[in-house]
Amino acid sequence: IDYKETFAPVARLEAIRMLLAYASSKDFKLFQMDVKSVFLNGFISEEVYVEQPPGFENSLFPKHVFKLTKALYGLKQAPRAWYERLSSFLISNDFTK
């Protein structure tokens, strides 16, 4: 239903500087996630099916498709799914928007 929508959250340089300054002042340990793997942490609520990727076809069922339960890099729903999961985690830990 939202296949024409594009969701692309962008971090401003000022926000990144503020995060780094705050983390430095509180001696927080920061970690970086690769963009391609971070989307695997987002669960999608829609039904999305994909064909078998080249080189990974099942020889018994070559025409079958896969139903996704997690977002994949390149999927239009992936950025929104990841953002929703991160947002709900932060809110449950007393952060506010």
Side-chain angles (χ1 to χ4, degrees):
I1 295 174
D2 62 349
Y3 64 92
K4 290 185 179 180
E5 250 180 58
T6 298
F7 182 78
V10 177
R12 293 183 52 164
L13 189 55
E14 294 84 6
I16 294 171
R17 284 182 181 159
M18 192 180 328
L19 171 69
L20 293 174
Y22 185 73
S24 176
S25 70
K26 297 290 186 180
D27 289 327
F28 288 163
K29 187 183 271 191
L30 295 179
F31 296 93
Q32 176 183 346
M33 288 181 119
D34 182 42
V35 171
K36 291 183 181 186
S37 64
V38 75
F39 288 138
L40 295 174
N41 292 312
F43 295 102
I44 52 177
S45 56
E46 300 92 3
E47 283 193 13
V48 178
Y49 297 91
V50 295
E51 64 184 16
Q52 297 181 40
F56 295 94
E57 296 93 353
N58 186 330
S59 58
L60 299 175
F61 305 104
K63 300 290 183 191
H64 281 206
V65 295
F66 294 109
K67 180 181 177 185
L68 296 179
T69 57
K70 288 191 169 190
L72 292 176
Y73 181 74
L75 190 66
K76 273 191 133 3
Q77 292 91 339
R80 186 182 308 275
W82 176 81
Y83 177 78
E84 288 299 322
R85 181 146 186 211
L86 176 65
S87 179
S88 64
F89 172 80
L90 292 174
I91 290 172
S92 70
N93 286 288
D94 299 326
F95 287 82
T96 58
K97 286 187 177 183

